[in-house]
Amino acid sequence: MSDIDLNLQIWRQKKSDSPGAFETYALDKISTEMSFLEMLDVLNEKLTKQGLDPVAFDHDCREGICGMCGTVVNGVAHGPEKEVTLCQLHMRNFKDGDTLVIEPFRSRAFPIRKDLLIDRSAFDRIIQSGGYVSVNTGGTPDGNAIPIPAQTAELAMDAAACIGCGACVASCPNGAAMLFTSAKVSQLCLLPQGQTERKQRALDMVATMDKEGFGNCTNERECEAVCPKSISIRNIARLNREYLMAALSEG
Amino acid sequence: MELNAHIPAGPLSEKWDNHKFNSKLVNPANRRKFKIIIVGTGLAGASASATLAEQGYQVQTFCIQDSPRRAHSIAAQGGINAAKCYQTDGDSVHRLFYDTIKGGDFRSREANVYRLAQVSNSIIDQCVAQGVPFAREYGGTMANRSFGGAQVSRTFYARGQTGQQLLLGAYSALSRQIHAGRVTMYNRREMMEIVLVDGKARGIITRNIITGEIEKYSADMVLLATGGYGNAYFLSTNAMASNVTAAWRAHKKGAGFANPSFVQIHPTCIPVHGDYQSKLTLMSESLRNDGRVWVPKDVNDKRHPRDIPDAARDYYLENKYPSFGNLVPRDVASRNAKEQCDLGKGVGSTKLAVYLDFADAIKRDGQETILKKYGNLFQMYEKITDSSPLQEPMMIYPAVHYTMGGLWVDYNLMTTIPGLFALGECNFSDHGANRLGASALMQGLADGYFVISTSVANYLGTNSLKAVSTDDVAFKEARQEVENRISKLLKNSSDGPTGKVTVDEIHKEVGKLLWDNCGMARNKQGLEAALAKLPALKDKFWNSVYIPGDMKEINQSLERAGRVADFLEFAEIMVRDALAREESCGCHLREESQTEENEAKRDDANFSHVSVWEHKGEGVEPVMHKEQLVFENVTPSQRSYK
Amino acid sequence: MWPIKFISSSIGKKIIMAVSGLLLILFLCTHALGNAAIFVSSHAFQTYANALHSLPVVVLLFGLGLLVILLFHIGFGINLFLQNRAAGGNRYAINTRVVKNSFASKTMPYTGLLILLFIIIHVFGFNNGPADMEVSQLVKEYLSNFFYSLFYIFSFCALALHLSHGFWSMLQTFGINHPRYNNGIAKLTLIVPAFFLVFFGAIALYFMSGLGASY
């Protein structure tokens, strides 16, 4: 355990339509045991006590599962450590005297609301257009009536682990949302429950994804590299296949 | 305040069926005429929104996060209970009912708990149909794991992310209804006030977190699914935005608050490591299936845990409770950890931790098997602490996790305000004085998917509600109240921060006060002292809190301030409740009431009741009412996990 | 109309890129096969060229087909490039690529342009040589020029780079990604571009270095 001094450059923007700029802040004696968000808390307490506006940033569960937090740190979504969200990133990943450039997740489809806080409702609209099995409450068969091989359940779970944080979009050179969309399409196309609506789902979700203003996938693999839940681009391959088959028969 | 639980007549196992038959219905064609407001999109809120919209009601759903998918149910790790008895190990609806009642130390209502056990099986079927990727056996059938407080294996799970998968299932069902236009979703809204018209809940006032706008919404009934109040302690495993505001606003408008002192302290959390710490991280209770809890026998044993031989270790849970061992209920495990640390046997730099050791399990089952079960938990632990549980034992310590107390509801889940219902952790109904692991998910989904629709139809079918719009004077008044309160919060801030306190400083202060005096062990003296300190703390907050920015913009300090203001008021009934309950039960250990072996000693003659608090106005002492608990099917006994 | 919908969707465009890319790779294979005759003798090569030109309709149709495929590849490539620049672009103060070896994928539009430039020069050159010179001689004439050859080799490097992302990317777009085959695919993604670079590069080097002086 030790303390480090940091130089922060943080994107500050008052509102969606106002211009933004970087501001520089010095932070001393940050414990390396702190999480990144706790470091921002310390900064905000300091700014508040100086009568300045604290930095707005999204966060909630602070244990890496809600998908609410996330900024780009020195050009990398969720910062330098692999397979963690920003809230799980600890300051032991940084050295004394480091400069951290902190920017919001940027995408045409994710408008900035304030500082580091963005609007990811485009993701919700992608799910709304087909990311479900259309069953009403009640009248469903016994859980064991739908046998699912353990390997299939595991593959579906690999895809279902997505937390919808948007790091894939933020890190994609094209701002594409393929990893997010493919994770949900994969989960449901692997499971027997998802077969009935399989084709329409792929068509509708991709159509919404395109409409929301995300870019096109060019297989750069950055999304997979920064994904805190290690969602594989194998899911993207699966989505491509699903979409092709669907487009040829039902599109 | 009249407390009629409306428990249906008939034998326990027929009550729910009788109730469904006797409840009024709303014709499918008429349902679209009714508007329902649902606040919160956790398991209870999302499942209720989806179900009611599917049935044809017009639903308006509100959540505080940027997406309904982020509600804190998502963080539940271990699993969800159901009485499927897929393992043929003697489970049944009655056993799940009995385990839950007993786990809650006989402080919950028989009829509610029985219904919970009854619908538990349908929840699993529902979630499977939605495509929730539950763990499977190699033959394709569903896998189960064991959990604390039960001797059967009835917990269904999806790796260590069961809450996430169940929530995403409910979220997908909700998304489908949003797409169909039957649910109008309002993200990033904080509920600020409940609006009553003619004594009935008819709407809410919200603050739009993005624009700062104070908005009015009207409906025929209001459902609160706003979770628990664990963040009153500042440090808890709850998400940062979890708060008591919605429930507290309802309370101040006339909803009784039941058992506010019943707070579950979860035994397996990562210990506190610094005063900058913002939250505590839970490690799933399922770890206790394979992990062994121990401390060094000798207080002065400074050796590395690996160098301490078995003979010098005290596996205190296994020694003390041979039949349940490491799988005793949460309250028992937490209390014993505290006891060991109080004896000076705690480990780590703060001496406030005990070991949870996987070495034997790894030796027995192999590293691969253990990693398959707990891999993501181990990874999470290592990310936070920089130490691998494969190499050395985990260090754990109890932390505030779940609140069994909540808004008082009857069998229909209706509060003492007509038309206002509370679902999930927000109500008090099913867990008594202690919740068993993997039962929170079960209750949230039971309330939302399978219970509330009967209540909704019955309420709408038995009440003739006049048309109400947001132009009604009650809405204007409620909005004015909200705006006044926000102005009052901001009143100290015009002349800068000098000499002021920040929101977090006060929050930490009240949190510590509660943790020290109304935490794992409570006594009269400490509680009275805390009660005496609260008014001054409240004054300090209102007179010197500094909040930067203004209300018509994104202002996260202001959001927190509003919540802390309510925690400060709420803390008072929490302490009062703990003080009034002069017995120990479940999570609530009054040091004055212990058995000779330092176990919680209940006093059924005097305290077999739900304590329900009524707000009597600002500055007026709240009044406690009692709902007597009647046990016709189980005999309350001293819980023993030996 | 589903084809319109398909080609205007993001994945549809990618599939067009992959299919046209695959066809272009297949063309390169046949081209390489034909050109292999160079290494036999000028006579063999000339015989092959003559045989090919004795079927003018086939050559015309083949050429037109190839042109259409190429135009699709280029057209959709440019469309994707522009769309992606608008959606992505340089939007951070610090742009860090986490993926190692991302040079090929980053430079796809530029290597593509270089290849296009090469194709124009290559096709123009061989269609507009002196009327009395046979194709087999024309090859020697052009490639014996050091700078002309150097340009060829440089272009083949661009092609190899283009393919070192394109080949894998094409399979990914077709949905071919499986842990069992991914190692093989990774090897193939090195072998295929390397083959074209070595093969076509060898032709240029053959003349450039003077080895083909007696050709």
Side-chain angles (χ1 to χ4, degrees):
Chain A
M1 204 194 296
S2 58
D3 288 347
I4 54 175
D5 295 348
L6 294 170
N7 180 28
L8 306 176
Q9 289 179 28
I10 302 181
W11 182 260
R12 303 301 307 261
Q13 181 172 339
K14 200 104 183 93
K15 282 193 161 67
S16 291
D17 48 7
S18 52
F22 283 99
E23 296 260 0
T24 304
Y25 307 98
L27 264 191
D28 297 341
K29 298 213 169 47
I30 292 298
S31 159
T32 51
E33 298 288 296
M34 266 186 213
S35 72
F36 194 88
L37 298 188
E38 283 165 351
M39 181 273 292
L40 288 180
D41 288 343
V42 170
L43 172 71
N44 277 346
E45 264 315 84
K46 188 176 154 187
L47 292 178
T48 303
K49 283 179 172 298
Q50 290 171 351
L52 298 170
D53 195 23
V55 180
F57 64 95
D58 258 330
H59 61 104
D60 200 21
C61 79
R62 296 208 177 188
E63 50 187 277
I65 193 76
C66 75
M68 189 107 170
C69 68
T71 67
V72 167
V73 182
N74 290 344
V76 181
H78 290 307
E81 198 180 357
K82 288 229 173 239
E83 294 178 25
V84 292
T85 54
L86 198 65
C87 61
Q88 292 174 299
L89 173 69
H90 280 72
M91 298 313 290
R92 68 179 79 95
N93 287 284
F94 301 99
K95 291 191 302 291
D96 192 36
D98 274 359
T99 294
L100 307 185
V101 180
I102 304 169
E103 299 177 72
F105 282 177
R106 293 184 192 275
S107 156
R108 195 168 54 181
F110 293 165
I112 295 171
R113 292 294 178 222
K114 186 181 179 185
D115 300 340
L116 306 172
L117 192 146
I118 55 165
D119 179 351
R120 281 166 292 202
S121 52
F123 271 6
D124 285 328
R125 289 188 288 276
I126 293 176
I127 298 293
Q128 283 158 18
S129 65
Y132 39 74
V133 176
S134 296
V135 287
N136 285 350
T137 301
T140 49
D142 184 83
N144 263 350
I146 310 171
I148 299 170
Q151 297 90 331
T152 309
E154 290 295 311
L155 275 181
M157 184 63 215
D158 286 342
C162 169
I163 57 173
C165 63
C168 46
V169 175
S171 65
C172 176
N174 311 326
M178 283 286 276
L179 195 65
F180 171 80
T181 309
S182 70
K184 187 46 79 178
V185 169
S186 276
Q187 177 202 344
L188 295 176
C189 80
L190 283 162
L191 294 170
Q193 299 93 308
Q195 298 310 307
T196 324
E197 301 160 281
R198 185 171 176 172
K199 289 180 177 167
Q200 202 54 47
R201 176 182 305 119
L203 293 171
D204 291 346
M205 287 180 73
V206 170
T208 309
M209 177 182 86
D210 292 348
K211 202 177 77 191
E212 291 291 339
F214 294 104
N216 307 288
C217 174
T218 52
N219 301 328
E220 310 275 342
R221 289 179 292 180
E222 293 288 332
C223 53
E224 176 185 68
V226 300
C227 176
K229 297 292 149 185
S230 313
I231 310 285
S232 161
I233 54 162
R234 197 181 165 194
N235 293 302
I236 296 183
R238 206 177 274 124
L239 171 61
N240 290 334
R241 216 158 57 215
E242 286 292 307
Y243 186 78
L244 181 60
M245 298 316 285
L248 293 180
S249 60
E250 291 196 1
Chain B
M1 184 175 282
E2 193 209 350
L3 300 174
N4 182 347
H6 294 111
I7 294 171
L12 187 61
S13 61
E14 290 167 25
K15 284 183 192 291
W16 177 227
D17 278 345
N18 289 345
H19 181 71
K20 280 191 283 187
F21 181 74
N22 292 323
S23 292
K24 288 274 183 295
L25 299 175
V26 178
N27 170 324
N30 284 336
R31 290 180 199 154
R32 71 175 72 95
K33 297 177 189 157
F34 293 108
K35 273 163 81 176
I36 303 172
I37 282 175
I38 299 176
V39 188
T41 56
L43 287 180
S47 59
S49 301
T51 304
L52 294 171
E54 285 159 10
Q55 293 180 354
Y57 300 101
Q58 283 182 56
V59 177
Q60 292 170 287
T61 302
F62 298 79
C63 77
I64 201 167
Q65 293 88 354
D66 75 329
S67 161
R69 67 179 290 151
R70 308 204 196 280
H72 196 54
S73 303
I74 204 155
Q77 297 168 354
I80 176 167
N81 287 330
K84 283 283 194 187
C85 195
Y86 282 160
Q87 311 302 328
T88 330
D89 54 0
D91 201 4
S92 63
V93 166
H94 199 87
R95 187 174 295 280
L96 175 55
F97 154 72
Y98 182 75
D99 285 349
T100 308
I101 281 265
K102 179 187 170 198
D105 218 0
F106 304 97
R107 288 293 173 263
S108 42
R109 232 184 249 151
E110 276 188 345
N112 283 55
V113 178
Y114 197 86
R115 174 178 65 189
L116 176 65
Q118 275 177 306
V119 301
S120 66
N121 291 344
S122 308
I123 296 171
I124 301 301
D125 300 341
Q126 182 64 33
C127 296
V128 168
Q130 287 170 344
V132 170
F134 282 113
R136 298 275 172 162
E137 302 292 351
Y138 282 96
T141 53
M142 300 186 74
N144 288 118
R145 56 165 57 137
S146 317
F147 246 68
Q151 288 175 308
V152 293
S153 211
R154 64 157 76 98
T155 304
F156 294 79
Y157 63 100
R159 290 197 193 141
Q161 290 130 278
T162 317
Q164 179 200 23
Q165 293 309 313
L166 296 178
L167 182 66
L168 293 183
Y171 161 76
S172 71
L174 168 62
S175 295
R176 177 170 154 245
Q177 295 307 313
I178 297 171
H179 191 60
R182 288 191 286 257
V183 173
T184 314
M185 185 70 223
Y186 299 92
N187 297 342
R188 292 213 201 252
R189 299 301 203 287
E190 178 149 22
M191 192 195 116
M192 306 299 283
E193 196 55 270
I194 182 110
V195 183
L196 307 190
V197 178
D198 300 339
K200 295 191 173 84
R202 296 305 300 269
I204 58 170
I205 306 293
T206 62
R207 179 170 180 271
N208 182 325
I209 286 175
I210 299 297
T211 62
E213 207 65 47
I214 307 297
E215 303 162 333
K216 305 177 286 186
Y217 297 93
S218 67
D220 295 293
M221 57 196 296
V222 177
L223 274 48
L224 296 185
T226 51
Y229 47 83
N231 270 347
Y233 291 83
F234 186 73
L235 281 181
S236 81
T237 65
N238 285 8
M240 304 307 282
S242 300
N243 65 74
V244 76
T245 293
W248 188 247
R249 296 285 129 213
H251 174 67
K252 289 182 90 170
K253 283 277 165 86
F257 209 111
N259 299 335
S261 67
F262 286 177
V263 175
Q264 179 166 80
I265 317 274
H266 195 288
T268 48
C269 300
I270 298 177
V272 178
H273 49 75
D275 51 4
Y276 47 80
Q277 190 147 357
S278 59
K279 83 152 273 172
L280 297 170
T281 304
L282 177 94
M283 292 278 108
S284 169
E285 167 167 323
S286 61
L287 290 169
R288 285 196 280 141
N289 270 312
D290 288 296
R292 300 179 68 193
V293 178
W294 64 276
V295 290
K297 276 186 182 158
D298 180 8
V299 179
N300 298 314
D301 200 334
K302 296 272 185 294
R303 285 177 285 181
H304 186 270
R306 277 282 154 270
D307 302 329
I308 301 178
D310 245 18
R313 298 175 176 190
D314 181 7
Y315 292 96
Y316 58 88
L317 287 178
E318 294 172 22
N319 297 339
K320 208 164 156 189
Y321 307 99
S323 66
F324 278 71
N326 293 300
L327 281 177
V328 291
R330 292 176 172 174
D331 55 334
V332 179
S334 292
R335 210 144 48 224
N336 278 279
K338 179 182 187 303
E339 193 179 289
Q340 296 299 325
C341 294
D342 288 349
L343 290 171
K345 292 182 180 175
V347 297
S349 58
T350 56
K351 292 291 216 175
L352 284 175
V354 298
Y355 290 126
L356 179 65
D357 199 338
F358 291 88
D360 289 334
I362 292 169
K363 214 177 288 168
R364 185 183 66 228
D365 299 339
Q367 189 162 311
E368 202 182 322
T369 311
I370 295 299
L371 275 181
K372 203 167 158 227
K373 280 193 198 167
Y374 311 114
N376 65 319
L377 295 171
F378 281 15
Q379 185 207 14
M380 189 159 148
Y381 181 85
E382 193 173 346
K383 295 280 181 203
I384 295 174
T385 63
D386 210 19
S387 139
S388 165
L390 294 172
Q391 310 301 329
E392 50 190 25
M394 278 185 177
M395 283 197 275
I396 54 163
Y397 197 66
V400 172
H401 175 55
Y402 184 89
T403 54
M404 282 72 69
L407 291 175
W408 183 89
V409 290
D410 65 4
Y411 190 74
N412 289 306
L413 305 183
M414 188 160 87
T415 65
T416 51
I417 297 175
L420 180 69
F421 294 73
L423 291 74
E425 189 179 353
C426 179
N427 72 30
F428 88 106
S429 75
D430 295 346
H431 305 298
N434 174 51
R435 177 175 66 75
L436 290 184
S439 284
L441 302 185
M442 172 170 71
Q443 188 221 340
L445 290 180
D447 289 357
Y449 282 134
F450 296 108
V451 175
I452 196 64
S453 59
T454 305
S455 307
V456 164
N458 188 52
Y459 177 77
L460 295 173
T462 50
N463 287 278
S464 62
L465 299 164
K466 68 167 192 185
V468 164
S469 87
T470 52
D471 298 329
D472 195 286
V473 61
F475 282 85
K476 284 189 185 139
E477 282 171 10
R479 179 157 86 175
Q480 196 53 51
E481 270 176 57
V482 170
E483 282 170 347
N484 292 347
R485 197 162 58 239
I486 293 175
S487 309
K488 202 176 148 200
L489 280 171
L490 290 168
K491 76 174 170 24
N492 310 316
S493 304
S494 50
D495 56 351
T498 320
K500 310 277 169 60
V501 289
T502 65
V503 177
D504 280 6
E505 284 168 346
I506 295 278
H507 196 177
K508 284 180 186 177
E509 207 170 323
V510 67
K512 180 145 177 19
L513 188 70
L514 290 174
W515 177 247
D516 289 344
N517 299 295
C518 198
M520 269 187 285
R522 301 143 178 203
N523 59 52
K524 187 162 190 274
Q525 202 188 355
L527 289 166
E528 280 174 347
L531 196 58
K533 281 182 194 158
L534 278 171
L537 199 54
K538 219 162 29 176
D539 286 347
K540 183 168 152 194
F541 175 81
W542 284 104
N543 294 329
S544 59
V545 70
Y546 173 74
I547 301 162
D550 67 50
M551 68 177 285
K552 290 278 181 211
E553 59 174 6
I554 295 176
N555 188 336
Q556 295 179 318
S557 307
L558 178 63
E559 289 166 36
R560 286 204 305 278
R563 295 166 201 159
V564 171
D566 289 334
F567 280 136
L568 281 166
E569 294 182 2
F570 172 72
E572 188 186 326
I573 64 161
M574 201 163 155
V575 175
R576 280 185 192 279
D577 189 52
L579 199 54
R581 191 171 282 278
E582 293 170 326
E583 61 155 356
S584 297
C585 61
C587 70
H588 173 68
L589 183 88
R590 278 293 294 266
E591 286 168 350
E592 301 91 333
S593 176
Q594 302 186 55
T595 64
E596 279 163 15
E597 293 152 313
N598 289 16
E599 298 293 338
K601 194 169 118 200
R602 281 200 329 266
D603 177 357
D604 289 338
N606 295 306
F607 294 97
S608 184
H609 61 247
V610 178
S611 48
V612 187
W613 293 85
E614 183 182 4
H615 181 73
K616 286 288 187 185
E618 299 294 344
V620 184
E621 214 168 282
V623 173
M624 190 187 86
H625 303 268
K626 293 175 184 173
E627 180 203 338
Q628 277 307 320
L629 290 168
V630 185
F631 294 96
E632 293 169 334
N633 300 277
V634 298
T635 316
S637 57
Q638 179 66 39
R639 280 190 313 170
S640 170
Y641 293 95
K642 300 229 169 224
Chain C
M1 275 289 285
W2 74 267
I4 304 290
K5 260 204 296 201
F6 177 70
I7 60 166
S8 35
S9 74
S10 58
I11 297 183
K13 283 177 204 156
K14 282 294 296 166
I15 290 174
I16 299 284
M17 287 302 282
V19 170
S20 54
L22 176 67
L23 293 173
L24 291 170
I25 290 176
L26 290 176
F27 163 72
L28 277 182
C29 292
T30 59
H31 196 34
L33 198 69
N35 284 9
I38 291 177
F39 292 116
V40 180
S41 67
S42 66
H43 177 69
F45 185 56
Q46 192 55 49
T47 313
Y48 157 71
N50 290 344
L52 207 59
H53 286 281
S54 68
L55 302 164
V57 180
V58 174
V59 171
L60 183 71
L61 286 180
F62 199 82
L64 279 178
L66 204 57
L67 184 67
V68 169
I69 293 166
L70 196 65
L71 286 178
F72 262 87
H73 199 74
I74 296 166
F76 278 84
I78 291 173
N79 179 261
L80 282 168
F81 171 72
L82 293 176
Q83 282 190 345
N84 287 338
R85 202 174 54 171
N90 280 335
R91 54 203 205 276
Y92 295 108
I94 298 185
N95 283 288
T96 309
R97 279 293 182 102
V98 180
V99 174
K100 303 273 174 279
N101 310 322
S102 57
F103 185 70
S105 63
K106 265 195 285 197
T107 51
M108 285 302 271
Y110 312 109
T111 48
L113 269 180
L114 260 172
I115 295 163
L116 177 65
L117 182 69
F118 167 79
I119 292 171
I120 292 168
I121 290 173
H122 177 65
V123 170
F124 184 84
F126 280 90
N127 283 329
N128 294 287
D132 55 345
M133 198 178 274
E134 287 197 312
V135 163
S136 55
Q137 289 312 304
L138 201 58
V139 173
K140 186 178 167 186
E141 185 70 26
Y142 281 142
L143 293 182
S144 301
N145 179 319
F146 178 80
F147 290 105
Y148 204 87
S149 247
L150 194 68
F151 170 68
Y152 264 53
I153 290 172
F154 181 67
S155 301
F156 299 146
C157 286
L159 173 72
L161 195 61
H162 197 77
L163 284 179
S164 73
H165 175 70
F167 185 79
W168 167 81
S169 181
M170 168 189 85
L171 292 178
Q172 165 79 3
T173 302
F174 289 144
I176 301 169
N177 180 328
H178 191 287
R180 183 181 294 174
Y181 306 113
N182 281 352
N183 266 336
I185 290 174
K187 282 191 192 115
L188 220 54
T189 304
L190 290 177
I191 292 168
V192 169
F195 167 76
F196 287 123
L197 175 60
V198 169
F199 184 88
F200 289 117
I203 294 175
L205 266 177
Y206 180 62
F207 295 105
M208 184 184 173
S209 62
L211 279 175
S214 59
Y215 176 77

